[in-house]
Amino acid sequence: MIFVIVLGNTMVAKAADGDAEKGKVLFAVCMACHGADGEGNAALNAPATGGQDEWYVVRQLNNFRAGVRGAHAGDIFGAQMRPMALTLANDQAVIDVAAYIATLPLPELATTIEGDAEAGKKAFAVCVACHGANGEGNVSLNAPRLSGQYDWYIKRQLDNFKAGIRGTNPKDIYGAQMRPMAMILVTDEQIRDVTAYIATLE
């Protein structure tokens, strides 16, 4: 069951309590790509899941299940993820696996994107309002954690938002909010710079 709470003027979906032990069993399918501790695997284009916020994991798994993500013709890697999300039989299974993922540690990440982190810090000033000064995210603003995620994945998602691969599905309300923010980064260099800065956050 999903409850809706109101914080200020923002509605946020709050998942019912998940059973992390049941989620651990379900996560066995995820381990093949995302790793036993949710550390991710760049070779398999699998982002880190360990330590990600439970509410955001629930939303994205449900987006994949509903075709809000992974159905766009340009979303090659999302298309790989969608059938995995569909192995979760119901909403409670999604909530349970998200509860387990939230117990996993944030991974130690290698830097793969070259960019000017100082220039990226200036560009990130726009992002702080929602994602926080340390990229910690803010559930009341529906803004996910950015720190603790691979730089290559952050860059890919910014590219996807700019290209309309994410944020253009009519049901992707929060993606639609993010897309114009990504469009502020006009050049690939700017995307690399802000990604390089995010990689320094803890």
Side-chain angles (χ1 to χ4, degrees):
M1 181 179 294
I2 303 291
F3 299 99
V4 175
I5 58 176
V6 178
L7 297 174
N9 294 321
T10 304
M11 287 199 307
V12 180
K14 182 181 186 302
D17 290 340
D19 186 327
E21 284 303 310
K22 290 182 179 178
K24 182 177 182 179
V25 175
L26 295 169
F27 190 74
V29 175
C30 316
M31 286 170 54
C33 293
H34 293 283
D37 291 322
E39 68 273 20
N41 187 332
L44 297 176
N45 294 286
T49 57
Q52 294 300 313
D53 291 316
E54 185 175 349
W55 64 269
Y56 187 70
V57 174
V58 168
R59 176 181 296 156
Q60 296 311 310
L61 285 173
N62 282 331
N63 280 351
F64 279 115
R65 291 171 73 214
V68 175
R69 284 188 70 180
H72 190 285
D75 193 3
I76 299 170
F77 304 112
Q80 294 175 356
M81 177 61 201
R82 188 164 184 240
M84 299 300 101
L86 287 168
T87 66
L88 299 169
N90 51 45
D91 290 345
Q92 188 60 51
V94 170
I95 293 166
D96 290 345
V97 78
Y100 176 67
I101 287 170
T103 71
L104 299 174
L106 286 170
E108 294 186 10
L109 306 173
T111 300
T112 66
I113 299 293
E114 293 184 4
D116 184 338
E118 281 303 310
K121 182 177 182 179
K122 295 176 183 177
F124 190 76
V126 177
C127 315
V128 167
C130 293
H131 292 282
N134 295 310
E136 69 273 20
N138 187 334
V139 63
S140 67
L141 296 176
N142 296 286
R145 169 188 287 275
L146 300 177
S147 59
Q149 186 54 266
Y150 286 105
D151 54 3
W152 58 264
Y153 184 75
I154 296 285
K155 183 181 185 301
R156 177 180 296 158
Q157 298 315 306
L158 286 171
D159 287 338
N160 283 352
F161 277 116
K162 283 193 67 179
I165 294 171
R166 284 189 70 178
T168 54
N169 186 296
K171 295 181 180 179
D172 191 5
I173 299 170
Y174 305 112
Q177 293 175 356
M178 178 59 203
R179 188 166 185 241
M181 299 299 101
M183 300 290 282
I184 292 172
L185 302 171
V186 178
T187 67
D188 186 66
E189 181 181 10
Q190 288 175 315
I191 291 177
R192 287 179 174 275
D193 290 347
V194 78
T195 300
Y197 176 67
I198 290 170
T200 70
L201 301 176
E202 296 181 357

